[in-house]
Amino acid sequence: ISGKISRSIGIISKSSFYLSRKSLFKLYYSLVYPYLYYGNIVWGSTYESNLARLIVLQKTVIRIITKSSFDAHTAPIFYYFNLLNLSNIYKLQAGIFMFSVHNKVLAAMFQSMFHQNSHVHSYLTRQANHYKIPYCRTNIMKFSIAYQGPKFWNSLPPTLKANSSLKTFKAKLKRHLITL
């Protein structure tokens, strides 16, 4: 993935002298973002060292598009332009997946992977509506959506989880992730 993104960054870098920022962002969303987004729910939760090259490449292309210095801090840039960094792209996809689980939109195979605490025990607790986080003996299991999904969903504020449509949930979650 990093090789393909590097080639796309070269194209964006060479065209940055001739194109406007709006056009450069369109190139970013057509040449770079699909590689960061597609399948991120599978490979996005791993050791930070495995993702380091992709994180550096994403920051590089954002600096090129905004014509920032090569050592500029990128957090304000991501915030100003309402962009998601690589870890927030993973959180967005995990949130959308868990929203689909919560609203019973996914196949039965996925529905059976997740159980709320109220289904595990019958007494009322403050976290009865939270999803049960499975016990994980290995880090590989901790990187799976079966562990990361409920963990992320339980950390979201209740007002965000109470949305009725996927479109509004996705927009509010994106706004929430950008402000973190």
Side-chain angles (χ1 to χ4, degrees), residues 8-23:
S8 299
I9 290 174
I11 293 168
I12 293 171
S13 177
K14 290 183 192 285
S15 61
S16 67
F17 300 108
Y18 308 107
L19 297 176
S20 66
R21 183 178 292 156
K22 185 177 179 181
S23 299

Side-chain angles (χ1 to χ4, degrees), residues 43-56 86-87:
W43 54 262
S45 173
T46 184
Y47 294 108
E48 191 74 23
S49 60
N50 293 340
L51 299 175
R53 179 77 177 132
L54 293 176
I55 292 169
V56 168
L86 190 62
S87 65

Side-chain angles (χ1 to χ4, degrees), residues 22 26 39 53-55 63 74-75 77 80 88 116 125 127 136-137 141 145 152 163 170:
K22 185 177 179 181
K26 286 184 180 181
R53 179 77 177 132
L54 293 176
I55 292 169
R63 287 184 187 116
T74 55
I77 298 171
Y80 181 77
N88 285 343
Q116 288 184 324
T125 62
Q127 296 161 349
C136 298
R137 192 178 56 80
M141 181 59 183
I145 192 66
F152 177 68
N163 289 303
K170 187 176 176 181

Side-chain angles (χ1 to χ4, degrees), residues 164-179:
S164 60
S165 74
L166 179 63
K167 185 177 179 181
T168 57
F169 172 77
K170 187 176 176 181
K172 287 182 180 181
L173 179 60
K174 183 177 178 183
R175 199 172 320 121
H176 174 74
L177 291 172
I178 289 171
T179 59

Side-chain angles (χ1 to χ4, degrees), residues 29-93:
Y29 278 112
S30 63
L31 297 176
V32 177
Y33 193 75
Y35 290 112
L36 299 175
Y37 191 84
Y38 182 73
N40 190 304
I41 198 165
V42 176
W43 54 262
S45 173
T46 184
Y47 294 108
E48 191 74 23
S49 60
N50 293 340
L51 299 175
R53 179 77 177 132
L54 293 176
I55 292 169
V56 168
L57 288 173
Q58 186 186 28
K59 289 179 177 184
T60 301
V61 72
I62 295 304
R63 287 184 187 116
I64 290 170
I65 291 171
T66 59
K67 296 179 178 31
S68 302
S69 65
F70 74 96
D71 60 348
H73 192 58
T74 55
I77 298 171
F78 280 107
Y79 179 77
Y80 181 77
F81 290 104
N82 293 324
L83 299 171
L84 294 175
N85 61 19
L86 190 62
S87 65
N88 285 343
I89 292 171
Y90 173 77
K91 290 176 184 174
L92 177 71
Q93 286 190 343

Side-chain angles (χ1 to χ4, degrees), residues 148-162:
Q148 292 291 329
K151 183 179 172 188
F152 177 68
W153 182 261
N154 293 343
S155 71
L156 291 176
T159 56
L160 189 63
K161 294 187 264 188

